[in-house]
Amino acid sequence: MSVRQSLLAILNQGPCYGYQLRAEFDRRTGSTWPLNVGQIYNTLDRLERDGLVQKADIDADGQNYVEITEAGRAEVADWLGSPVVRTMATRDELAIKLAIAVTLPGVDIARVIQVQRSATMRTLQELTRTKNATADPESSDQLAWLLVIDSLIFAAEAEARWLDHSESTLSRSRAAGLAAPLPLNTDVPKRGRPARAVQAGA
Amino acid sequence: MTASDVLLQLDGVSMQYGHGETAITALAGVDLSVSRGELVAVMGASGSGKSTLLTVAGGLTPPTSGEVIVEGHWLSQLSARELATLRRRSLGFVFQDFNLIPSLTALENVSLPLELDGWSSKKAHHPARDALGIVELTDRAQHFPSDLSGGQQQRVAIARAVVGGRSLILADEPTGALDSMTGELVLRMLRSRVDAGAGGILVTHDARHAAWADRIVFLRDGRIVDESQPSTVSSLLSGLPA
């Protein structure tokens, strides 16, 4: 989970206390995914439990510092050296919405796509304007912010392209008479967990 | 906004190729206006009518029906000579493949529209240098296109499109042949010309590039099916540093 490893990577720079870690995470990610301090302390508790950080000094203001352990340093190196694996299990609200909508009678799916594309393009315009209003980065936290905003821009672009592609797919399917709505299945499933599928030929 | 702020207006513009059963409708009753300081992106699938819209807007092809009005001039009422003059003085085209003349230097390419309009080359070089300065290519003025990168060639094309105070830029996939970063630089130049008081149409199939525009128009089968404008409140980015 990236918050855990991000905090650990920040701690690899030197001991920090909770609020300080939150501020460091925010300025390195452009405050795009703000963390509350409760999340920070919960994460630190788990990191300590796993032997990746340990309690350090308490300063004159009573701030409890936490420092990284050798195992923690190894975990940071491992994180930076490995790819982020995106799981298919993450639900994509928009894909689900279109998948359901295309099976329903009386839904103007082209309109659904159009409404979404307008919203996606507005998002893309806002992101682009924000990026353009910013001068070339002069420090590494500005550079970090630029990387984050570019990632949001490319994600919105990918969504717009997928919507265009879906529109073409639908139009081809409709022309081939395939885009008929899906009626309710009268073979009502039994309550409880579905029975395990019977193997073909069994 | 006053009437003089409207640089381009398309009123019920339709365009058909061919006749009878084989006729193809490229544009069907398109209404569109572009004002000073406004960049309008036109998006749509291949064959949706994007490029036809640009050639009609630029007076290169008369529409089958409807009116095109550029800076208050009804194109249908102009003679061929008047239309050519208006095109030279008011419109600048930017194409995907740059369309620079290989045997002319950057400066000569930018000067060309003014020289075709009767300016002496000495006189034309002055605004041409200014235009090259706008696209930050003053130091490349004496280079031939073959000595320039793709991004630099496209910036020369933008300089040519705006030289001598021409106010309407019509760009057809101007970033199509460029890598992502260079494309962005070219769009930044285009955007800054529009912010300085020009107007423009940007035809693109790329959503990320269309997002540089103030308005985005979607074409399907020659019709405008949707228009997007950025919302006035940036709720999405409230947390990001400005």
Side-chain angles (χ1 to χ4, degrees), chain A residues 27-122:
Chain A
R27 82 179 173 105
R28 287 160 202 265
T29 56
S31 306
T32 314
W33 301 282
L35 298 175
N36 65 46
V37 100
Q39 275 174 285
I40 301 273
Y41 286 122
N42 281 337
T43 308
L44 286 178
D45 285 346
R46 285 197 295 274
L47 288 170
E48 189 178 3
R49 179 199 65 196
D50 297 340
L52 302 174
V53 302
Q54 60 196 17
K55 289 198 169 63
D57 299 336
I58 301 175
D59 70 8
D61 296 327
Q63 301 291 2
N64 290 290
Y65 279 77
V66 171
E67 65 187 4
I68 195 165
T69 63
E70 274 314 305
R73 290 188 202 285
E75 173 118 350
V76 171
D78 193 39
W79 177 56
L80 293 173
S82 349
V84 171
V85 178
R86 300 189 191 278
T87 62
M88 293 295 288
T90 311
R91 286 185 185 160
D92 183 323
E93 279 185 46
L94 179 56
I96 292 174
K97 182 176 175 181
L98 281 197
I100 296 291
V102 79
T103 65
L104 301 175
V107 174
D108 182 353
I109 187 80
R111 182 74 199 142
V112 174
I113 290 177
Q114 213 163 287
V115 166
Q116 184 63 46
R117 188 170 42 209
S118 291
T120 305
M121 289 308 299
R122 272 198 300 277

Side-chain angles (χ1 to χ4, degrees), chain A residues 30 118 122 126 130-131 167, chain B residues 184 220 226 229 231 237 240:
Chain A
S118 291
R122 272 198 300 277
E126 280 183 33
T130 306
K131 180 180 166 181
E167 189 177 50
Chain B
E184 208 172 286
R220 192 194 302 140
D226 200 14
Q229 292 178 325
S231 54
L237 293 165
L240 290 176

